[in-house]
Amino acid sequence: MGNDRVYNFSAGPSMLPLEVLERAGAEITNYQGSGMSVMEMSHRSKVFQKIFDDTQAKFRQLFCVPEGYKILFLQGGASSQFSAAPLNLIGRTGKADYAVTGNFSNIAYKEAKKYGAIRLAASSEDRNHTYIPTQDQLQLDPEASYFYYCANNTIYGTEWQYVPDTGSVPIVCDMSSDILSRPVDVSKYGVIFAGAQKNMAPAGLTVVIIREDLAGHELPYTPLMMNYKTMIDKDSMYNTPPCWCIYMLGLVLDWLEAQGGVPGMEAIKHKKAQMLYDVLDRSKLFTCAAEAGSRSDMNVTFRSVSEELNDKFVQEAAAAGFTNLKGHRNVGGMRASIYNAMPTEGIEKLCDFIQDFDKKN
Ligand SMILES: *Cc1c(COP(=O)(O)O)cnc(C)c1O
């Protein structure tokens, strides 16, 4: 890798593809002859409108978003959707089902309780969120306005390997940390949302994909800026959208297309994760936190035999150019976040480092 860059295993904000950063750098003071940076442009200008439209169209094509669904580019982070989803959707029956499989779904669950009758459809808390409940374990209410889950649990390193069957109940899904890493049948969902800073773009952009008929039934006190209908009607431009991040997403989507699109990326990311899990499973010192069958391809959580050795591993890894491998305090140990932009070479080298550490300690 160029420019003395490190292999950055941060959970988010995280690595962006080097080609994307270089292209953004080349265009940063004068975007395609406009005489200004994308950061300096009116969001109502023709030049920016084209960036916006192209990015939206590319996203629709690469993520296979069908007709009848709107793609919104909003601010506020994924966390703002923890409030927006219930405010906009719970009005139909006043009830919703939540699967709590980690930190972020738990926050969403608690937030939703302000707005209606929220039921715990499943929880993995009994084993510290090391697994994903099976379809049989989901206790679903056919009268729920929606069913909510988080596709990839960034902190715990678990990932849903199936789309829950909820009958006619719309599904709301937080895909912040695995969007664009695997093909998704969008037609199975009511709302998909994701903060951009894990797998898509710099922090500040939130992508929301919504089945259009679900909008327009918000609770009367829904804040203007959280109203899906307002944002659909104004094509995300009720106010100033996160212009620079939308531009960056466009560059990332071009890069993704060159990797073979989402199916190409799925093959690459699965191979990367498998390499890492194989090395950890074969080691004498390390164990993985997540149970087999629930392991995430995006966030690999693992630990050694002692706290001292965990600290030593993190320190020596950082000195060798593998940064941000310390695990979240809820799990301890280590976490390697290996989103789309982490090159395969970074995983190969980390695997060598782990094997070497395993031998020496
Ligand atoms: C990071 C993350 C969030 C929080 O995103 P913000 O954009 O900081 O609000 C929510 N859900 C998941 C799954 C995440 O990984």
PDB file of all heavy atoms in Angstrom, residues 11-12 76-82 103-105 148 150-155 174-178 193-198 203-206 299 339, ligand 1:
ATOM      1  N   ALA A  11     -13.459   0.070  13.549  1.00  0.00           N
ATOM      2  CA  ALA A  11     -14.867  -0.333  13.358  1.00  0.00           C
ATOM      3  C   ALA A  11     -15.684   0.753  12.688  1.00  0.00           C
ATOM      4  O   ALA A  11     -16.773   0.493  12.190  1.00  0.00           O
ATOM      5  CB  ALA A  11     -15.471  -0.699  14.706  1.00  0.00           C
ATOM      6  N   GLY A  12     -15.202   1.970  12.694  1.00  0.00           N
ATOM      7  CA  GLY A  12     -15.904   3.046  11.999  1.00  0.00           C
ATOM      8  C   GLY A  12     -15.778   4.367  12.752  1.00  0.00           C
ATOM      9  O   GLY A  12     -15.894   4.357  13.967  1.00  0.00           O
ATOM     10  N   GLY A  76     -27.708  12.913  10.109  1.00  0.00           N
ATOM     11  CA  GLY A  76     -28.197  12.448  11.413  1.00  0.00           C
ATOM     12  C   GLY A  76     -27.646  11.107  11.875  1.00  0.00           C
ATOM     13  O   GLY A  76     -27.857  10.718  13.020  1.00  0.00           O
ATOM     14  N   GLY A  77     -26.963  10.387  11.004  1.00  0.00           N
ATOM     15  CA  GLY A  77     -26.398   9.103  11.412  1.00  0.00           C
ATOM     16  C   GLY A  77     -27.431   8.008  11.496  1.00  0.00           C
ATOM     17  O   GLY A  77     -28.650   8.270  11.506  1.00  0.00           O
ATOM     18  N   ALA A  78     -26.954   6.784  11.562  1.00  0.00           N
ATOM     19  CA  ALA A  78     -27.872   5.648  11.694  1.00  0.00           C
ATOM     20  C   ALA A  78     -28.736   5.813  12.944  1.00  0.00           C
ATOM     21  O   ALA A  78     -29.914   5.451  12.954  1.00  0.00           O
ATOM     22  CB  ALA A  78     -27.079   4.344  11.762  1.00  0.00           C
ATOM     23  N   SER A  79     -28.161   6.402  13.987  1.00  0.00           N
ATOM     24  CA  SER A  79     -28.881   6.534  15.258  1.00  0.00           C
ATOM     25  C   SER A  79     -30.151   7.363  15.120  1.00  0.00           C
ATOM     26  O   SER A  79     -31.117   7.136  15.852  1.00  0.00           O
ATOM     27  CB  SER A  79     -27.974   7.159  16.322  1.00  0.00           C
ATOM     28  OG  SER A  79     -26.806   6.380  16.478  1.00  0.00           O
ATOM     29  N   SER A  80     -30.161   8.336  14.220  1.00  0.00           N
ATOM     30  CA  SER A  80     -31.379   9.138  14.047  1.00  0.00           C
ATOM     31  C   SER A  80     -32.528   8.263  13.535  1.00  0.00           C
ATOM     32  O   SER A  80     -33.699   8.540  13.793  1.00  0.00           O
ATOM     33  CB  SER A  80     -31.134  10.317  13.098  1.00  0.00           C
ATOM     34  OG  SER A  80     -30.874   9.845  11.794  1.00  0.00           O
ATOM     35  N   GLN A  81     -32.178   7.184  12.828  1.00  0.00           N
ATOM     36  CA  GLN A  81     -33.213   6.281  12.312  1.00  0.00           C
ATOM     37  C   GLN A  81     -33.825   5.417  13.424  1.00  0.00           C
ATOM     38  O   GLN A  81     -34.910   4.851  13.247  1.00  0.00           O
ATOM     39  CB  GLN A  81     -32.640   5.399  11.197  1.00  0.00           C
ATOM     40  CG  GLN A  81     -32.162   6.199   9.989  1.00  0.00           C
ATOM     41  CD  GLN A  81     -33.257   7.089   9.419  1.00  0.00           C
ATOM     42  OE1 GLN A  81     -34.379   6.634   9.193  1.00  0.00           O
ATOM     43  NE2 GLN A  81     -32.954   8.362   9.204  1.00  0.00           N
ATOM     44  N   PHE A  82     -33.128   5.312  14.564  1.00  0.00           N
ATOM     45  CA  PHE A  82     -33.712   4.593  15.694  1.00  0.00           C
ATOM     46  C   PHE A  82     -35.006   5.289  16.133  1.00  0.00           C
ATOM     47  O   PHE A  82     -35.918   4.649  16.661  1.00  0.00           O
ATOM     48  CB  PHE A  82     -32.739   4.538  16.892  1.00  0.00           C
ATOM     49  CG  PHE A  82     -31.440   3.840  16.622  1.00  0.00           C
ATOM     50  CD1 PHE A  82     -30.369   3.975  17.498  1.00  0.00           C
ATOM     51  CD2 PHE A  82     -31.272   3.028  15.504  1.00  0.00           C
ATOM     52  CE1 PHE A  82     -29.155   3.325  17.265  1.00  0.00           C
ATOM     53  CE2 PHE A  82     -30.066   2.377  15.255  1.00  0.00           C
ATOM     54  CZ  PHE A  82     -29.012   2.538  16.140  1.00  0.00           C
ATOM     55  N   ASN A 103     -25.596  -4.174  20.758  1.00  0.00           N
ATOM     56  CA  ASN A 103     -25.655  -2.829  21.315  1.00  0.00           C
ATOM     57  C   ASN A 103     -26.633  -1.921  20.561  1.00  0.00           C
ATOM     58  O   ASN A 103     -27.492  -1.278  21.162  1.00  0.00           O
ATOM     59  CB  ASN A 103     -24.238  -2.249  21.270  1.00  0.00           C
ATOM     60  CG  ASN A 103     -24.183  -0.789  21.643  1.00  0.00           C
ATOM     61  OD1 ASN A 103     -24.416  -0.447  22.792  1.00  0.00           O
ATOM     62  ND2 ASN A 103     -23.894   0.065  20.686  1.00  0.00           N
ATOM     63  N   PHE A 104     -26.510  -1.873  19.237  1.00  0.00           N
ATOM     64  CA  PHE A 104     -27.283  -0.879  18.493  1.00  0.00           C
ATOM     65  C   PHE A 104     -28.769  -1.241  18.401  1.00  0.00           C
ATOM     66  O   PHE A 104     -29.627  -0.368  18.440  1.00  0.00           O
ATOM     67  CB  PHE A 104     -26.675  -0.644  17.101  1.00  0.00           C
ATOM     68  CG  PHE A 104     -25.336   0.025  17.171  1.00  0.00           C
ATOM     69  CD1 PHE A 104     -24.176  -0.666  16.845  1.00  0.00           C
ATOM     70  CD2 PHE A 104     -25.221   1.332  17.589  1.00  0.00           C
ATOM     71  CE1 PHE A 104     -22.930  -0.059  16.924  1.00  0.00           C
ATOM     72  CE2 PHE A 104     -23.981   1.955  17.678  1.00  0.00           C
ATOM     73  CZ  PHE A 104     -22.827   1.255  17.341  1.00  0.00           C
ATOM     74  N   SER A 105     -29.074  -2.532  18.285  1.00  0.00           N
ATOM     75  CA  SER A 105     -30.492  -2.904  18.268  1.00  0.00           C
ATOM     76  C   SER A 105     -31.115  -2.673  19.649  1.00  0.00           C
ATOM     77  O   SER A 105     -32.302  -2.379  19.757  1.00  0.00           O
ATOM     78  CB  SER A 105     -30.688  -4.347  17.802  1.00  0.00           C
ATOM     79  OG  SER A 105     -29.814  -5.231  18.447  1.00  0.00           O
ATOM     80  N   TYR A 148     -38.161  -5.276  13.577  1.00  0.00           N
ATOM     81  CA  TYR A 148     -36.882  -4.573  13.490  1.00  0.00           C
ATOM     82  C   TYR A 148     -35.714  -5.485  13.861  1.00  0.00           C
ATOM     83  O   TYR A 148     -35.769  -6.190  14.868  1.00  0.00           O
ATOM     84  CB  TYR A 148     -36.896  -3.385  14.466  1.00  0.00           C
ATOM     85  CG  TYR A 148     -35.627  -2.559  14.464  1.00  0.00           C
ATOM     86  CD1 TYR A 148     -35.574  -1.328  13.814  1.00  0.00           C
ATOM     87  CD2 TYR A 148     -34.482  -3.002  15.118  1.00  0.00           C
ATOM     88  CE1 TYR A 148     -34.404  -0.570  13.805  1.00  0.00           C
ATOM     89  CE2 TYR A 148     -33.318  -2.258  15.113  1.00  0.00           C
ATOM     90  CZ  TYR A 148     -33.284  -1.035  14.458  1.00  0.00           C
ATOM     91  OH  TYR A 148     -32.134  -0.295  14.456  1.00  0.00           O
ATOM     92  N   CYS A 150     -31.031  -5.755  13.405  1.00  0.00           N
ATOM     93  CA  CYS A 150     -29.760  -5.189  12.950  1.00  0.00           C
ATOM     94  C   CYS A 150     -28.973  -6.313  12.268  1.00  0.00           C
ATOM     95  O   CYS A 150     -28.645  -7.320  12.908  1.00  0.00           O
ATOM     96  CB  CYS A 150     -28.987  -4.626  14.142  1.00  0.00           C
ATOM     97  SG  CYS A 150     -27.342  -4.035  13.716  1.00  0.00           S
ATOM     98  N   ALA A 151     -28.682  -6.155  10.975  1.00  0.00           N
ATOM     99  CA  ALA A 151     -28.135  -7.253  10.171  1.00  0.00           C
ATOM    100  C   ALA A 151     -26.754  -7.708  10.622  1.00  0.00           C
ATOM    101  O   ALA A 151     -26.435  -8.895  10.590  1.00  0.00           O
ATOM    102  CB  ALA A 151     -28.078  -6.838   8.701  1.00  0.00           C
ATOM    103  N   ASN A 152     -25.928  -6.763  11.031  1.00  0.00           N
ATOM    104  CA  ASN A 152     -24.561  -7.099  11.452  1.00  0.00           C
ATOM    105  C   ASN A 152     -24.241  -6.358  12.743  1.00  0.00           C
ATOM    106  O   ASN A 152     -24.346  -5.132  12.796  1.00  0.00           O
ATOM    107  CB  ASN A 152     -23.561  -6.709  10.355  1.00  0.00           C
ATOM    108  CG  ASN A 152     -22.137  -7.110  10.706  1.00  0.00           C
ATOM    109  OD1 ASN A 152     -21.792  -8.295  10.664  1.00  0.00           O
ATOM    110  ND2 ASN A 152     -21.310  -6.147  11.078  1.00  0.00           N
ATOM    111  N   ASN A 153     -23.882  -7.125  13.768  1.00  0.00           N
ATOM    112  CA  ASN A 153     -23.631  -6.535  15.072  1.00  0.00           C
ATOM    113  C   ASN A 153     -22.150  -6.184  15.191  1.00  0.00           C
ATOM    114  O   ASN A 153     -21.312  -7.026  15.520  1.00  0.00           O
ATOM    115  CB  ASN A 153     -24.109  -7.482  16.170  1.00  0.00           C
ATOM    116  CG  ASN A 153     -25.612  -7.698  16.054  1.00  0.00           C
ATOM    117  OD1 ASN A 153     -26.386  -6.807  16.379  1.00  0.00           O
ATOM    118  ND2 ASN A 153     -26.020  -8.847  15.543  1.00  0.00           N
ATOM    119  N   THR A 154     -21.875  -4.932  14.906  1.00  0.00           N
ATOM    120  CA  THR A 154     -20.537  -4.370  14.757  1.00  0.00           C
ATOM    121  C   THR A 154     -19.652  -4.647  15.980  1.00  0.00           C
ATOM    122  O   THR A 154     -18.468  -4.915  15.842  1.00  0.00           O
ATOM    123  CB  THR A 154     -20.672  -2.843  14.557  1.00  0.00           C
ATOM    124  OG1 THR A 154     -21.776  -2.598  13.681  1.00  0.00           O
ATOM    125  CG2 THR A 154     -19.421  -2.240  13.980  1.00  0.00           C
ATOM    126  N   ILE A 155     -20.238  -4.556  17.153  1.00  0.00           N
ATOM    127  CA  ILE A 155     -19.453  -4.696  18.388  1.00  0.00           C
ATOM    128  C   ILE A 155     -19.208  -6.166  18.719  1.00  0.00           C
ATOM    129  O   ILE A 155     -18.100  -6.557  19.087  1.00  0.00           O
ATOM    130  CB  ILE A 155     -20.170  -3.958  19.539  1.00  0.00           C
ATOM    131  CG1 ILE A 155     -20.085  -2.445  19.298  1.00  0.00           C
ATOM    132  CG2 ILE A 155     -19.591  -4.364  20.903  1.00  0.00           C
ATOM    133  CD1 ILE A 155     -20.844  -1.597  20.299  1.00  0.00           C
ATOM    134  N   ASP A 174     -31.316  -2.314  10.198  1.00  0.00           N
ATOM    135  CA  ASP A 174     -30.101  -1.504  10.291  1.00  0.00           C
ATOM    136  C   ASP A 174     -28.966  -2.287   9.627  1.00  0.00           C
ATOM    137  O   ASP A 174     -28.527  -3.312  10.150  1.00  0.00           O
ATOM    138  CB  ASP A 174     -29.798  -1.239  11.781  1.00  0.00           C
ATOM    139  CG  ASP A 174     -28.502  -0.468  12.007  1.00  0.00           C
ATOM    140  OD1 ASP A 174     -27.794  -0.168  11.026  1.00  0.00           O
ATOM    141  OD2 ASP A 174     -28.207  -0.170  13.184  1.00  0.00           O
ATOM    142  N   MET A 175     -28.512  -1.833   8.468  1.00  0.00           N
ATOM    143  CA  MET A 175     -27.414  -2.504   7.751  1.00  0.00           C
ATOM    144  C   MET A 175     -26.142  -1.658   7.764  1.00  0.00           C
ATOM    145  O   MET A 175     -25.311  -1.754   6.850  1.00  0.00           O
ATOM    146  CB  MET A 175     -27.819  -2.804   6.299  1.00  0.00           C
ATOM    147  CG  MET A 175     -28.889  -3.853   6.161  1.00  0.00           C
ATOM    148  SD  MET A 175     -29.041  -4.449   4.452  1.00  0.00           S
ATOM    149  CE  MET A 175     -30.556  -5.419   4.587  1.00  0.00           C
ATOM    150  N   SER A 176     -25.985  -0.836   8.802  1.00  0.00           N
ATOM    151  CA  SER A 176     -24.854   0.108   8.833  1.00  0.00           C
ATOM    152  C   SER A 176     -23.510  -0.552   8.571  1.00  0.00           C
ATOM    153  O   SER A 176     -22.655   0.019   7.905  1.00  0.00           O
ATOM    154  CB  SER A 176     -24.792   0.817  10.187  1.00  0.00           C
ATOM    155  OG  SER A 176     -25.906   1.663  10.350  1.00  0.00           O
ATOM    156  N   SER A 177     -23.307  -1.748   9.120  1.00  0.00           N
ATOM    157  CA  SER A 177     -21.953  -2.310   9.026  1.00  0.00           C
ATOM    158  C   SER A 177     -21.830  -3.484   8.066  1.00  0.00           C
ATOM    159  O   SER A 177     -20.774  -4.120   8.026  1.00  0.00           O
ATOM    160  CB  SER A 177     -21.438  -2.685  10.423  1.00  0.00           C
ATOM    161  OG  SER A 177     -22.362  -3.485  11.109  1.00  0.00           O
ATOM    162  N   ASP A 178     -22.862  -3.768   7.262  1.00  0.00           N
ATOM    163  CA  ASP A 178     -22.608  -4.760   6.203  1.00  0.00           C
ATOM    164  C   ASP A 178     -23.283  -4.441   4.869  1.00  0.00           C
ATOM    165  O   ASP A 178     -23.260  -5.266   3.948  1.00  0.00           O
ATOM    166  CB  ASP A 178     -22.908  -6.197   6.662  1.00  0.00           C
ATOM    167  CG  ASP A 178     -24.384  -6.481   6.897  1.00  0.00           C
ATOM    168  OD1 ASP A 178     -25.208  -5.540   6.848  1.00  0.00           O
ATOM    169  OD2 ASP A 178     -24.721  -7.671   7.129  1.00  0.00           O
ATOM    170  N   PHE A 193     -31.713   0.956   6.479  1.00  0.00           N
ATOM    171  CA  PHE A 193     -30.925   2.180   6.665  1.00  0.00           C
ATOM    172  C   PHE A 193     -29.497   1.830   7.069  1.00  0.00           C
ATOM    173  O   PHE A 193     -29.223   0.730   7.562  1.00  0.00           O
ATOM    174  CB  PHE A 193     -31.573   3.130   7.680  1.00  0.00           C
ATOM    175  CG  PHE A 193     -31.607   2.603   9.097  1.00  0.00           C
ATOM    176  CD1 PHE A 193     -30.527   2.794   9.944  1.00  0.00           C
ATOM    177  CD2 PHE A 193     -32.720   1.942   9.591  1.00  0.00           C
ATOM    178  CE1 PHE A 193     -30.555   2.333  11.259  1.00  0.00           C
ATOM    179  CE2 PHE A 193     -32.764   1.460  10.892  1.00  0.00           C
ATOM    180  CZ  PHE A 193     -31.677   1.660  11.729  1.00  0.00           C
ATOM    181  N   ALA A 194     -28.595   2.778   6.831  1.00  0.00           N
ATOM    182  CA  ALA A 194     -27.189   2.556   7.160  1.00  0.00           C
ATOM    183  C   ALA A 194     -26.452   3.875   7.269  1.00  0.00           C
ATOM    184  O   ALA A 194     -26.589   4.736   6.392  1.00  0.00           O
ATOM    185  CB  ALA A 194     -26.526   1.691   6.087  1.00  0.00           C
ATOM    186  N   GLY A 195     -25.691   4.044   8.334  1.00  0.00           N
ATOM    187  CA  GLY A 195     -24.715   5.123   8.399  1.00  0.00           C
ATOM    188  C   GLY A 195     -23.614   4.793   7.408  1.00  0.00           C
ATOM    189  O   GLY A 195     -23.273   3.631   7.211  1.00  0.00           O
ATOM    190  N   ALA A 196     -23.047   5.822   6.772  1.00  0.00           N
ATOM    191  CA  ALA A 196     -22.112   5.560   5.664  1.00  0.00           C
ATOM    192  C   ALA A 196     -20.717   5.168   6.112  1.00  0.00           C
ATOM    193  O   ALA A 196     -19.967   4.558   5.348  1.00  0.00           O
ATOM    194  CB  ALA A 196     -22.020   6.805   4.782  1.00  0.00           C
ATOM    195  N   GLN A 197     -20.363   5.459   7.366  1.00  0.00           N
ATOM    196  CA  GLN A 197     -18.936   5.478   7.747  1.00  0.00           C
ATOM    197  C   GLN A 197     -18.297   4.117   7.962  1.00  0.00           C
ATOM    198  O   GLN A 197     -17.121   4.038   8.315  1.00  0.00           O
ATOM    199  CB  GLN A 197     -18.756   6.361   8.990  1.00  0.00           C
ATOM    200  CG  GLN A 197     -19.394   5.812  10.263  1.00  0.00           C
ATOM    201  CD  GLN A 197     -20.850   6.232  10.444  1.00  0.00           C
ATOM    202  OE1 GLN A 197     -21.528   6.527   9.480  1.00  0.00           O
ATOM    203  NE2 GLN A 197     -21.328   6.251  11.671  1.00  0.00           N
ATOM    204  N   LYS A 198     -19.033   3.015   7.753  1.00  0.00           N
ATOM    205  CA  LYS A 198     -18.432   1.694   7.888  1.00  0.00           C
ATOM    206  C   LYS A 198     -18.038   1.159   6.502  1.00  0.00           C
ATOM    207  O   LYS A 198     -16.929   0.720   6.294  1.00  0.00           O
ATOM    208  CB  LYS A 198     -19.386   0.703   8.556  1.00  0.00           C
ATOM    209  CG  LYS A 198     -20.143   1.248   9.767  1.00  0.00           C
ATOM    210  CD  LYS A 198     -19.286   1.380  10.999  1.00  0.00           C
ATOM    211  CE  LYS A 198     -19.879   2.246  12.097  1.00  0.00           C
ATOM    212  NZ  LYS A 198     -21.089   1.800  12.728  1.00  0.00           N
ATOM    213  N   ALA A 203     -18.165   9.747   7.416  1.00  0.00           N
ATOM    214  CA  ALA A 203     -19.281   9.954   8.345  1.00  0.00           C
ATOM    215  C   ALA A 203     -20.065  11.204   7.977  1.00  0.00           C
ATOM    216  O   ALA A 203     -19.491  12.182   7.490  1.00  0.00           O
ATOM    217  CB  ALA A 203     -18.747  10.081   9.764  1.00  0.00           C
ATOM    218  N   GLY A 204     -21.369  11.165   8.192  1.00  0.00           N
ATOM    219  CA  GLY A 204     -22.204  12.340   7.931  1.00  0.00           C
ATOM    220  C   GLY A 204     -23.344  12.054   6.983  1.00  0.00           C
ATOM    221  O   GLY A 204     -24.281  12.851   6.869  1.00  0.00           O
ATOM    222  N   LEU A 205     -23.285  10.917   6.314  1.00  0.00           N
ATOM    223  CA  LEU A 205     -24.348  10.524   5.380  1.00  0.00           C
ATOM    224  C   LEU A 205     -25.056   9.282   5.931  1.00  0.00           C
ATOM    225  O   LEU A 205     -24.403   8.359   6.417  1.00  0.00           O
ATOM    226  CB  LEU A 205     -23.732  10.200   4.009  1.00  0.00           C
ATOM    227  CG  LEU A 205     -24.608   9.430   2.997  1.00  0.00           C
ATOM    228  CD1 LEU A 205     -25.807  10.266   2.549  1.00  0.00           C
ATOM    229  CD2 LEU A 205     -23.773   9.015   1.785  1.00  0.00           C
ATOM    230  N   THR A 206     -26.367   9.310   5.865  1.00  0.00           N
ATOM    231  CA  THR A 206     -27.167   8.142   6.231  1.00  0.00           C
ATOM    232  C   THR A 206     -28.021   7.768   5.031  1.00  0.00           C
ATOM    233  O   THR A 206     -28.759   8.612   4.520  1.00  0.00           O
ATOM    234  CB  THR A 206     -28.097   8.469   7.416  1.00  0.00           C
ATOM    235  OG1 THR A 206     -27.329   9.131   8.416  1.00  0.00           O
ATOM    236  CG2 THR A 206     -28.717   7.209   7.990  1.00  0.00           C
ATOM    237  N   ASN A 299     -16.854  -7.901  11.029  1.00  0.00           N
ATOM    238  CA  ASN A 299     -16.187  -7.617  12.299  1.00  0.00           C
ATOM    239  C   ASN A 299     -15.831  -8.951  12.948  1.00  0.00           C
ATOM    240  O   ASN A 299     -16.711  -9.694  13.360  1.00  0.00           O
ATOM    241  CB  ASN A 299     -17.091  -6.809  13.236  1.00  0.00           C
ATOM    242  CG  ASN A 299     -17.697  -5.586  12.557  1.00  0.00           C
ATOM    243  OD1 ASN A 299     -18.813  -5.664  12.042  1.00  0.00           O
ATOM    244  ND2 ASN A 299     -16.981  -4.496  12.521  1.00  0.00           N
ATOM    245  N   TYR A 339     -14.007  -4.295   6.576  1.00  0.00           N
ATOM    246  CA  TYR A 339     -15.031  -3.855   5.635  1.00  0.00           C
ATOM    247  C   TYR A 339     -14.518  -3.956   4.202  1.00  0.00           C
ATOM    248  O   TYR A 339     -13.357  -4.296   3.961  1.00  0.00           O
ATOM    249  CB  TYR A 339     -15.447  -2.416   5.965  1.00  0.00           C
ATOM    250  CG  TYR A 339     -16.003  -2.262   7.368  1.00  0.00           C
ATOM    251  CD1 TYR A 339     -15.393  -1.439   8.301  1.00  0.00           C
ATOM    252  CD2 TYR A 339     -17.150  -2.957   7.755  1.00  0.00           C
ATOM    253  CE1 TYR A 339     -15.901  -1.293   9.583  1.00  0.00           C
ATOM    254  CE2 TYR A 339     -17.664  -2.815   9.037  1.00  0.00           C
ATOM    255  CZ  TYR A 339     -17.035  -1.988   9.950  1.00  0.00           C
ATOM    256  OH  TYR A 339     -17.550  -1.852  11.208  1.00  0.00           O
TER     257      TYR A 339
HETATM  258  C1  LIG B   1     -22.011   2.409  13.857  1.00  0.00           C
HETATM  259  C2  LIG B   1     -23.363   1.840  13.916  1.00  0.00           C
HETATM  260  C3  LIG B   1     -24.481   2.608  14.290  1.00  0.00           C
HETATM  261  C4  LIG B   1     -24.373   4.036  14.728  1.00  0.00           C
HETATM  262  O1  LIG B   1     -24.183   4.839  13.625  1.00  0.00           O
HETATM  263  P1  LIG B   1     -24.161   6.438  13.726  1.00  0.00           P
HETATM  264  O2  LIG B   1     -24.072   6.842  12.292  1.00  0.00           O
HETATM  265  O3  LIG B   1     -22.949   6.796  14.544  1.00  0.00           O
HETATM  266  O4  LIG B   1     -25.411   6.885  14.374  1.00  0.00           O
HETATM  267  C5  LIG B   1     -25.717   2.005  14.276  1.00  0.00           C
HETATM  268  N1  LIG B   1     -25.860   0.715  13.923  1.00  0.00           N
HETATM  269  C6  LIG B   1     -24.804  -0.048  13.568  1.00  0.00           C
HETATM  270  C7  LIG B   1     -25.024  -1.478  13.181  1.00  0.00           C
HETATM  271  C8  LIG B   1     -23.534   0.484  13.543  1.00  0.00           C
HETATM  272  O5  LIG B   1     -22.486  -0.278  13.207  1.00  0.00           O
END
